[in-house]
Amino acid sequence: MLECAELYFNVDHGYLEGLVRGCKASLLTQQDYINLAQCETLEDLKIHLQTTDYGNFLANQTNPLTVSKIDTEMRKRLCREFDYFRNNSLEPLSTFFTYMTCSYMIDNVILLMNGALQKKSVKEILVKCHPLGRFTEMEAVNIAETPSDLFNAILVETPLAPFFQDCMSENTLDELNIELLRNKLYKSYLEAFYKFCKNHGDVTAEVMCPILEFEADRRAFIITFNSFGTELSKEDRETLYPTIGKLYPEGLRLLAQAEDFDQMKRVADHYGVYKPLFEAVGGSGGKTLEDVFYEHEVQINVLAFNRQFHYGVFYAYVKLKEQEMRNIVWIAECISQRHRTKINSYIPIL
Amino acid sequence: MGSLFRSETMCLAQLFLQSGTAYECLSALGEKGLVQFRDLNQNISSFQRKFVGEVKRCEELERILVYLVQEINRADIPLPEGETSPPAPPLKQVLEMQEQLQKLEVELREVTKNKEKLRKNLLELIEYTHMLRVTKTFVKRNVEFEPTYEEFPPLENDSLLDYSCMQRLGAKLGFVSGLIHQGKVEAFEKMLWRVCKGYTIVTYAELDESLEDPETGEVIKWYVFLISFWGEQIGHKVKKICDCYHCHVYPYPHTAEEREEIQEGLNTRIQDLYTVLHKTEDYLRQVLCKAAESVYTRVIQVKKMKAIYHMLNMCSIDVTNKCLIAEVWCPEADLHELRRALEEGSRESGATIPSFMNVIPTKETPPTLIRTNKFTEGFQNIVDAYGVGSYREVNPALFTIITFPFLFAVMFGDFGHGFVMFLFALLLVLNEDHPRLNQSQEIMRMFFNGRYILLLMGLFSVYTGLIYNDCFSKSVNLFGSGWNVSAMFSSSHSPTEHKKMVLWNDSTVRHSRVLQLDPSVPGVFRGPYPLGIDPIWNLATNRLTFLNSFKMKMSVILGIIHMTFGVILGIFNHLHFRKKFNIYLVSIPELLFMLCIFGYLIFMIVYKWLVFSAETSRVAPSILIEFINMFLFPATETNGLYTGQEHVQRVLLAVTALSVPVLFLGKPLFLLWLHNGRSCFGVSRSGYTLVRKDSEEEVSLLGSQDIEEGHNQMEDGCREMTCEEFNFGEILMTQVIHSIEYCLGCISNTASYLRLWALSLAHAQLSDVLWAMLMRVGLRVDTAFGVLLLLPVIALFAVLTIFILLIMEGLSAFLHAIRLHWVEFQNKFYVGAGTKFVPFSFRLLSSKFNTNDSVE
């Protein structure tokens, strides 16, 4: 790629970038959150959301309003926006969009397989699937019994196919194996996405690489944290870590040896970025590790909007919107369960 | 005229609405559209206000109505739109209405649900019959392939193979058949092959008719497929894949008899379903038709009701909770109307205590209301687009009505083009009640709203066209030219005259390409043409030089008159706001500055026109040189325009030079002097509040523009708080900036008015070129075939005239006229810092079914 993306970026992607920046401006503000947190019922929440850019997206919902209805409608809205972006995009931005949907596709596949394991009907689970990660072959996932079956029969023609190279095995899919499969898929997905951004070069690489590095490191930490007290061996654990983050290689090796949270924290202390995050855990407000990571994610995503002529804004926008949806759902849950003390622990989008 | 010259006086009124009657009162107010409500609950978020429940109810009603309208539209039932708008529903009826609507909605939903179910059923049955029909041919084809299966037996020699073969054949041979979307066939087949590792046989054929999808209602092409397989395991997988691709799977009959049976059963069921479906549809139609009658009224009523509750949400609540207090802006002229509306509202609700109002004094700047009619509206819009006038400020729209079309016409001066534009505008004006024009969109709407502007622009263009004597770039010889060519010939003069003048004879006429008429020869110029430019100029080669000189001077004269008028309007503003010192310290120096330089320029132009005739034109001095010399004081004497010119110019220059420092320093110093004087006064009389109503300067010093005589009683109370901090530096800076802008502006703005000349020149030249390039070519052809050519040429000429000369040139002249008004004229006096008065009026609610945004 040439150095000066500024010169021709707008030819292909200027419209969409303008659009996404406009969309970003419609994210809820601090004042909106304060108002939302004051709501007494979900009806109030609906009225307030009407004054924001969400508009009357709940207008056609019959009473009573539930949190899940709000959630579904918000997801639909995001999905509509995303589809619009995707339909209007040109290469290589469309590949970028495909990469973005892959993570949702992985989640959906895993969700469906878990459902099949628990003998739930496909329809029931389909409702829970993220609309961004929908694809036609998805519903046939439960035919497969082994990962290689899954690959050969069903996913070979989907964008997920390249991520399967590491996890072709004949093991039957039990709960642990599914979880392993998810992490392996995710690892290869992140690495591929990272490679794509790196190869693209320019501002896109400069913006996207840190975001993906953080994503990789977060996964490494979360995998470690979740594997405490399970039968997952340390060697296996190490194979699940994505190898693109700041932790690679030394940090990951140390992390593989960690046995409890304190040891994990000690590993993080070596890194300037993660040290303050781990220090914030459990501090004021009883934040969990997840919350802290979300906050940091929001921060770096907001930073993506400071640069121009790159694809990172799309990624950042979707992530920020997701966070906003999580916040609204959180507030709505707190309202509907009359659990107001925790209503303010949403993650503000700066 | 009074109402258009200044915005109306406003007062702030407090309405005490008894809680029982508030709704009716507001309904009465909304019908009349008299007042603008102020939001008294600004810091309360929307869902914490008092009438939020009622608003929610209105929204619920709206939702139902939107659903109704949607269904009615889907059934293609015409929606009657009422002529009159029904009043907001009385509160008693609201519950009834809500109940009715809810009942209707439940009923409708049920019926449509049933209908959908029936439809779906029917579609499925139809699909099934199609499938049966098509698969029959598959089986027939399979029979043809039978020989290949019969080749199996020879292999049965191997017993092991035989056993497994038997096993396989013994396992149930299964069939799955159904329909699949056209687009998914390929992927479906691939996956089947991959999953079942080729142990299935798929046959499919395209269905010749497109069928409706029972789920989405889309009409698409379908494929019928038949999968045959052995074994349970594979069967499960196949079924799952079918589910995945949303195939419509129907049971496959194994024998021909079974097939016949099913087919017959299906046919009768389809017949039954058809009749039931028809009945249901009829019923649904009846229900919808009944609903359609009242739906328009309902939609309007609910809109009004919602608007009323939104307004009520802006009121604050009395401590006793008995009444609502609203604060409204109301034009003083409408106060009695307001009282009457309140009485009406109270009477209607039958309340014992009437709602009443009370005018309260205020220091806040009221909104600006200028009443317009359909004629003045367009002009007011031009002014408002620049900025809504400050309260009680001189409104330039009044003058714009004449100056705007006039300046436009100066640039667009063409008799023919103007007449076409006039006709077009006249057409719009005469048909203004036509519903299609009223509802027109986008560009047409723009023309329609500006129809009166266009009308005047057309008329004025006709006038200037006559003055320029231009009609599609040709001159019209109405009165006979004032020039006589034959007088130039030597034969028509006595020999004594020959000596002085250069006359023509046969040889000069024959040998020179260009001849010049000399107006000083008697008989050649027989006095000016009665109206506008003499048509003979159309033939002259030096036409442009002549017209340029004329048009340039004309633009400068028009421009300076226009600007001077603006400055004079400023004096009216100062008089009205009682800032008399502004007249002496700002307006008069400004006027002097302008008139002493540019006024004198006009004087010179006119003087030269009047004094110098054809005989003396050779000795006439150049105005440009004279004007420049006015500032340069040249050492050598020029002969000048008139005697004593030098002294007059010196005096004028001195006046100009003197007015500049006054302009720069006068107002700030005066204000400083006043401020110091005042504070001294205050110290000497400490103890009681200073009240000096007689001093006009003081009143004006308060800096508020809205003090009226009537409010004097309350002024005392308010004075202390509005004594703004006196900041000399700031005032000085503002004044200096303003003065610099004005002085430089005088020069640049005058130059800016030259666009009048430039655009009219461009317009004339463009139409000239169009004529020369097209019509002249068309007219030159001989008579035999000329008609054939002339027709398309005229058509092309007409199209180009309309698009380039009328629309494009008209647009550019329009924009330049707007600019001249906004920048050159209005910046002399117009502040335009007001807010528009937006009354609470039901008329502003749209009376259309805006189904588009609700469906989205």
Side-chain angles (χ1 to χ4, degrees):
Chain A
M1 277 277 167
L2 289 169
E3 284 299 301
C4 39
E6 294 84 354
L7 284 180
Y8 51 81
F9 183 87
N10 280 346
V11 175
D12 289 344
H13 318 299
Y15 169 61
L16 288 183
E17 194 188 351
L19 214 58
V20 82
R21 281 176 190 276
C23 287
K24 191 241 173 187
S26 72
L27 290 176
L28 297 187
T29 61
Q30 195 58 45
Q31 186 59 42
D32 287 326
Y33 280 116
I34 292 171
N35 285 332
L36 284 181
Q38 286 171 356
C39 293
E40 295 288 334
T41 63
L42 289 183
E43 282 292 315
D44 291 349
L45 190 87
K46 172 180 156 186
I47 289 178
H48 188 82
L49 282 180
Q50 273 177 8
T51 62
T52 66
D53 264 37
Y54 278 100
N56 50 357
F57 75 116
L58 290 171
N60 290 330
Q61 293 296 313
T62 44
N63 291 326
L65 203 60
T66 59
V67 180
S68 67
K69 273 185 194 166
I70 297 178
D71 192 29
T72 334
E73 283 299 315
M74 284 195 298
R75 277 184 175 183
K76 267 192 206 154
R77 239 183 87 92
L78 174 64
C79 199
R80 264 208 306 275
E81 280 174 1
F82 187 82
D83 283 344
Y84 185 82
F85 289 146
R86 203 170 170 178
N87 293 341
N88 284 288
S89 63
L90 295 169
E91 285 296 343
L93 183 57
S94 18
T95 315
F96 185 83
F97 280 138
T98 312
Y99 271 112
M100 275 170 70
T101 51
C102 280
S103 69
Y104 301 100
M105 286 162 75
I106 294 174
D107 283 344
N108 283 350
V109 168
I110 300 299
L111 192 67
L112 280 165
M113 294 204 324
N114 268 327
L117 210 62
Q118 288 158 18
K119 303 270 180 275
K120 282 183 188 162
S121 81
V122 182
K123 286 237 165 60
E124 197 180 326
I125 303 161
L126 268 184
V127 182
K128 290 184 195 160
C129 285
H130 200 290
L132 276 185
R134 260 176 205 285
F135 55 102
T136 12
E137 294 90 341
M138 191 166 86
E139 291 165 47
V141 157
N142 52 3
I143 297 170
E145 269 147 16
T146 65
S148 38
D149 239 12
L150 186 67
F151 171 74
N152 285 330
I154 295 146
L155 298 177
V156 70
E157 283 190 342
T158 63
L160 291 183
F163 311 140
F164 265 86
Q165 56 198 13
D166 285 341
C167 38
M168 302 286 275
S169 68
E170 295 295 330
N171 302 336
T172 48
L173 287 165
D174 55 14
E175 213 161 314
L176 182 67
N177 277 333
I178 290 178
E179 202 50 40
L180 283 180
L181 178 68
R182 177 216 292 273
N183 285 316
K184 277 180 182 163
L185 279 178
Y186 227 99
K187 173 185 149 101
S188 13
Y189 157 67
L190 275 179
E191 282 164 3
F193 197 6
Y194 186 80
K195 213 170 118 198
F196 171 78
C197 292
K198 198 97 192 161
N199 285 342
H200 186 272
D202 259 339
V203 193
T204 303
E206 284 168 41
V207 172
M208 278 309 290
C209 288
I211 292 178
L212 291 175
E213 279 164 13
F214 169 71
E215 184 67 30
D217 289 343
R218 171 163 79 171
R219 285 204 74 81
F221 281 122
I222 298 284
I223 290 168
T224 318
F225 189 69
N226 287 340
S227 68
F228 295 146
T230 59
E231 57 208 59
L232 190 68
S233 70
K234 286 176 181 171
E235 290 74 40
D236 281 349
R237 197 203 292 169
E238 197 171 357
T239 59
L240 297 181
Y241 295 150
T243 56
I244 52 169
K246 291 202 175 65
L247 293 176
Y248 180 76
E250 210 36 48
L252 291 183
R253 206 177 48 75
L254 289 172
L255 212 53
Q257 303 305 319
E259 270 161 10
D260 55 24
F261 185 74
D262 283 332
Q263 286 183 11
M264 201 162 97
K265 194 171 171 184
R266 228 166 290 145
V267 178
D269 282 349
H270 296 302
Y271 295 89
V273 193
Y274 302 120
K275 194 176 175 207
L277 295 185
F278 273 78
E279 274 162 7
V281 173
S284 58
K287 282 178 185 160
T288 62
L289 189 59
E290 219 170 332
D291 288 345
V292 177
F293 278 136
Y294 275 142
E295 268 173 36
H296 188 72
E297 190 192 5
V298 165
Q299 259 168 29
I300 52 178
N301 279 330
V302 167
L303 285 182
F305 281 88
N306 290 355
R307 302 285 300 270
Q308 231 184 328
F309 308 121
H310 64 98
Y311 303 152
V313 278
F314 300 101
Y315 185 85
Y317 171 67
V318 171
K319 291 284 162 194
L320 287 178
K321 198 79 186 170
E322 286 234 299
Q323 186 57 51
E324 181 181 291
M325 278 154 46
R326 275 198 291 271
N327 288 342
I328 292 175
V329 168
W330 170 263
I331 291 173
E333 281 291 356
C334 285
I335 290 170
S336 66
Q337 292 174 13
R338 312 230 156 262
H339 199 73
R340 301 198 70 85
T341 43
K342 281 204 163 175
I343 200 164
N344 281 322
S345 42
Y346 53 84
I347 287 136
I349 294 170
L350 315 162
Chain B
M1 170 195 153
S3 67
L4 202 58
F5 185 56
R6 285 186 199 288
S7 61
E8 286 200 26
T9 46
M10 288 279 166
C11 56
L12 187 64
Q14 231 173 1
L15 306 183
F16 295 89
L17 305 163
Q18 307 302 327
S19 33
T21 69
Y23 178 85
E24 284 80 5
C25 288
L26 255 71
S27 165
L29 284 179
E31 292 295 344
K32 292 195 167 148
L34 296 171
V35 293
Q36 176 179 1
F37 280 80
R38 290 186 1 157
D39 194 354
L40 301 178
N41 304 327
Q42 247 157 2
N43 41 7
I44 302 178
S45 55
S46 55
F47 54 84
Q48 285 168 334
R49 300 196 177 190
K50 188 161 185 255
F51 292 95
V52 88
E54 281 82 351
V55 172
K56 260 188 230 167
R57 190 204 285 164
C58 293
E59 268 165 14
E60 172 70 14
L61 289 179
E62 267 181 348
R63 188 186 61 75
I64 297 177
L65 284 169
V66 163
Y67 172 72
L68 277 182
V69 170
Q70 211 176 311
E71 288 297 319
I72 291 172
N73 278 340
R74 196 138 53 128
D76 268 338
I77 296 170
L79 275 171
E81 293 200 10
E83 294 296 309
T84 53
S85 94
L91 279 178
K92 287 165 247 159
Q93 281 179 21
V94 171
L95 269 179
E96 197 184 317
M97 184 164 117
Q98 190 180 7
E99 244 169 58
Q100 266 179 17
L101 281 176
Q102 273 167 350
K103 226 169 76 189
L104 195 62
E105 191 208 2
V106 171
E107 194 181 345
L108 259 184
R109 281 206 192 269
E110 199 140 309
V111 177
T112 31
K113 212 172 88 191
N114 279 340
K115 197 189 106 186
E116 287 305 313
K117 224 191 262 168
L118 286 174
R119 261 181 76 75
K120 205 175 149 188
N121 228 322
L122 182 67
L123 284 172
E124 278 173 1
L125 290 182
I126 293 174
E127 276 180 8
Y128 196 6
T129 50
H130 278 295
M131 191 209 85
L132 285 178
R133 186 170 52 79
V134 176
T135 45
K136 205 151 75 180
T137 60
F138 289 171
V139 179
K140 269 187 200 150
R141 239 191 296 163
N142 276 354
V143 173
E144 287 163 24
F145 284 121
E146 215 121 26
T148 35
Y149 291 113
E150 278 171 352
E151 281 168 17
F152 260 105
L155 290 172
E156 275 172 33
N157 304 343
D158 196 326
S159 62
L160 192 68
L161 193 75
D162 183 27
Y163 178 71
S164 61
C165 251
M166 285 311 289
Q167 188 80 4
R168 227 185 287 156
L169 287 170
K172 215 173 146 203
L173 187 69
F175 291 102
V176 173
S177 59
L179 282 87
I180 186 169
H181 284 207
Q182 189 186 25
K184 290 181 183 166
V185 175
E186 206 177 325
F188 175 67
E189 199 190 352
K190 270 189 198 165
M191 186 180 273
L192 264 181
W193 194 85
R194 281 200 308 262
V195 172
C196 308
K197 312 211 162 66
Y199 287 122
T200 51
I201 298 165
V202 190
T203 5
Y204 51 84
E206 196 180 338
L207 209 56
D208 2 300
E209 314 158 50
S210 334
L211 295 178
E212 218 173 298
D213 188 344
E215 307 280 335
T216 57
E218 264 180 289
V219 180
I220 33 174
K221 279 268 180 193
W222 294 87
Y223 269 78
V224 174
F225 64 84
L226 175 69
I227 307 164
S228 21
F229 56 87
W230 285 278
E232 290 282 320
Q233 286 285 341
I234 294 180
H236 278 302
K237 284 183 181 174
V238 168
K239 272 179 193 137
K240 269 182 187 165
I241 293 171
C242 287
D243 280 347
C244 162
Y245 281 94
H246 302 282
C247 307
H248 302 150
V249 177
Y250 299 101
Y252 181 74
H254 289 272
T255 59
E257 296 86 62
E258 207 181 327
R259 183 191 300 273
E260 291 285 305
E261 219 170 280
I262 292 174
Q263 193 105 40
E264 263 170 43
L266 280 180
N267 281 341
T268 48
R269 271 177 71 196
I270 287 176
Q271 286 299 330
D272 290 353
L273 270 179
Y274 260 125
T275 44
V276 176
L277 196 62
H278 270 301
K279 287 246 166 77
T280 325
E281 264 172 2
D282 280 347
Y283 177 68
L284 186 70
R285 214 178 155 77
Q286 269 175 19
V287 173
L288 284 176
C289 274
K290 222 172 82 192
E293 284 165 19
S294 62
V295 85
Y296 175 75
T297 329
R298 292 276 160 78
V299 168
I300 301 291
Q301 280 184 326
V302 169
K303 265 185 194 163
K304 286 188 174 177
M305 195 158 80
K306 197 175 166 192
I308 290 174
Y309 283 120
H310 270 303
M311 286 302 138
L312 284 177
N313 269 337
M314 287 185 172
C315 304
S316 68
I317 300 148
D318 184 46
V319 268
T320 57
N321 229 344
K322 283 267 171 56
C323 70
L324 289 161
I325 303 170
E327 277 183 23
V328 296
W329 290 112
C330 178
E332 266 180 11
D334 285 343
L335 274 179
H336 62 279
E337 282 273 336
L338 174 60
R339 279 203 190 90
R340 209 176 326 140
L342 284 182
E343 273 166 28
E344 249 172 57
S346 313
R347 194 158 13 122
E348 232 167 77
S349 62
T352 43
I353 322 161
S355 299
F356 57 97
M357 56 154 293
N358 156 12
V359 177
I360 51 171
T362 177
K363 297 298 295 170
E364 279 172 72
T365 319
T368 311
L369 166 68
I370 296 167
R371 290 183 209 263
T372 53
N373 52 29
K374 60 187 179 181
F375 177 69
T376 51
E377 195 187 3
F379 297 98
Q380 187 65 50
N381 281 343
I382 291 181
V383 171
D384 283 351
Y386 173 79
V388 176
S390 304
Y391 180 62
R392 299 292 286 155
E393 186 179 30
V394 169
N395 177 21
L398 178 64
F399 312 103
T400 305
I401 294 175
I402 296 302
T403 54
F404 183 82
F406 181 69
L407 288 188
F408 170 84
V410 168
M411 291 181 269
F412 197 72
D414 190 299
F415 179 74
H417 298 156
F419 193 65
V420 173
M421 183 182 273
F422 172 74
L423 281 186
F424 173 68
L426 196 67
L427 213 68
L428 286 182
V429 168
L430 290 180
N431 295 317
E432 64 188 356
D433 296 325
H434 199 280
R436 246 183 65 199
L437 275 176
N438 274 322
Q439 290 157 20
S440 49
Q441 298 294 318
E442 300 278 327
I443 293 181
M444 201 51 213
R445 174 122 214 114
M446 213 163 70
F447 283 126
F448 180 71
N449 285 340
R451 59 195 183 278
Y452 285 102
I453 306 179
L454 278 178
L455 188 77
L456 283 192
M457 289 189 329
L459 263 184
F460 278 80
S461 299
V462 170
Y463 168 71
T464 48
L466 281 176
I467 295 292
Y468 294 161
N469 212 340
D470 258 347
C471 177
F472 297 115
S473 84
K474 295 283 122 188
S475 292
V476 186
N477 193 355
L478 287 177
F479 306 102
S481 172
W483 295 73
N484 184 6
V485 181
S486 59
M488 279 302 284
F489 280 92
S490 44
S491 54
S492 57
H493 294 276
S494 61
T496 46
E497 289 168 325
H498 282 210
K499 285 168 206 157
K500 293 182 281 176
M501 301 171 288
V502 187
L503 289 177
W504 302 345
N505 50 36
D506 278 351
S507 70
T508 41
V509 171
R510 213 158 273 146
H511 291 110
S512 44
R513 286 179 53 79
V514 180
L515 290 169
Q516 194 169 10
L517 294 172
D518 187 353
S520 53
V521 175
V524 170
F525 183 64
R526 296 177 304 203
Y529 191 70
L531 180 71
I533 309 273
D534 198 308
I536 201 169
W537 284 107
N538 202 34
L539 307 170
T541 45
N542 60 345
R543 172 173 188 244
L544 262 188
T545 329
F546 169 70
L547 280 182
N548 280 350
S549 148
F550 162 70
K551 283 182 179 173
M552 179 176 70
K553 284 167 185 158
M554 175 196 66
S555 345
V556 170
I557 294 173
L558 288 179
I560 287 162
I561 293 174
H562 199 207
M563 286 191 292
T564 315
F565 182 57
V567 178
I568 292 171
L569 284 181
I571 295 181
F572 283 96
N573 266 344
H574 298 318
L575 276 177
H576 181 80
F577 296 130
R578 315 249 190 107
K579 293 186 183 176
K580 221 174 231 172
F581 67 93
N582 261 347
I583 299 176
Y584 301 125
L585 297 174
V586 180
S587 292
I588 289 188
E590 278 181 353
L591 260 182
L592 285 176
F593 183 85
M594 170 90 81
L595 288 179
C596 288
I597 301 178
F598 296 102
Y600 180 64
L601 178 65
I602 294 183
F603 164 77
M604 283 199 291
I605 292 171
V606 177
Y607 181 84
K608 189 177 162 186
W609 274 343
L610 294 178
V611 168
F612 292 93
S613 65
E615 287 81 21
T616 50
S617 65
R618 303 259 169 228
V619 294
S622 154
I623 292 177
L624 188 67
I625 303 292
E626 294 297 320
F627 193 55
I628 292 171
N629 282 347
M630 179 172 164
F631 300 96
L632 293 183
F633 311 115
T636 55
E637 278 292 310
T638 52
N639 42 358
L641 286 162
Y642 53 92
T643 48
Q645 180 189 6
E646 202 180 324
H647 302 290
V648 174
Q649 287 182 352
R650 289 258 160 92
V651 172
L652 288 177
L653 211 55
V655 173
T656 314
L658 280 177
S659 64
V660 171
V662 176
L663 204 52
F664 270 71
L665 299 171
K667 188 178 166 188
L669 287 179
F670 180 75
L671 287 180
L672 184 68
W673 175 74
L674 259 188
H675 178 72
N676 288 342
R678 209 175 101 95
S679 60
C680 293
F681 242 84
V683 169
S684 63
R685 289 204 210 166
S686 57
Y688 57 91
T689 355
L690 177 73
V691 186
R692 279 199 308 174
K693 283 195 196 104
D694 45 0
S695 155
E696 287 179 340
E697 289 85 358
E698 172 138 9
V699 176
S700 57
L701 249 188
L702 289 169
S704 55
Q705 307 165 341
D706 52 333
I707 300 171
E708 302 290 333
E709 295 98 310
H711 294 174
N712 271 349
Q713 317 89 293
M714 59 81 176
E715 263 168 38
D716 304 352
C718 307
R719 260 186 202 191
E720 288 92 337
M721 21 187 249
T722 50
C723 270
E724 308 151 9
E725 215 169 294
F726 183 81
N727 189 342
F728 180 69
E730 205 170 285
I731 295 174
L732 186 69
M733 276 312 290
T734 324
Q735 184 60 25
V736 165
I737 289 171
H738 175 80
S739 310
I740 293 176
E741 198 198 324
Y742 179 80
C743 294
L744 293 181
C746 271
I747 298 160
S748 63
N749 290 352
T750 309
S752 184
Y753 274 98
L754 289 178
R755 74 185 67 231
L756 292 177
W757 161 42
L759 264 99
S760 95
L761 178 72
H763 184 80
Q765 285 302 299
L766 209 60
S767 52
D768 199 33
V769 165
L770 195 64
W771 181 277
M773 302 283 270
L774 271 176
M775 282 307 267
R776 199 169 292 166
V777 175
L779 290 170
R780 202 178 287 155
V781 192
D782 63 295
T783 44
F785 301 103
V787 182
L788 292 179
L789 186 67
L790 210 53
L791 271 174
V793 164
I794 286 183
L796 192 60
F797 179 74
V799 168
L800 286 182
T801 300
I802 286 174
F803 280 98
I804 296 183
L805 291 175
L806 266 105
I807 296 183
M808 224 179 72
E809 277 279 294
L811 208 61
S812 103
F814 185 88
L815 289 179
H816 282 282
I818 281 187
R819 186 226 139 94
L820 285 180
H821 278 86
W822 283 352
V823 180
E824 272 77 27
F825 177 54
Q826 289 182 10
N827 79 354
K828 301 285 183 292
F829 66 100
Y830 189 60
V831 179
T835 48
K836 212 167 180 145
F837 175 74
V838 187
F840 165 58
S841 166
F842 291 146
R843 233 165 299 153
L844 300 178
L845 297 173
S846 85
S847 58
K848 296 273 161 308
F849 298 106
N850 41 355
T851 40
N852 294 357
D853 24 289
S854 46
V855 171
E856 276 298 303

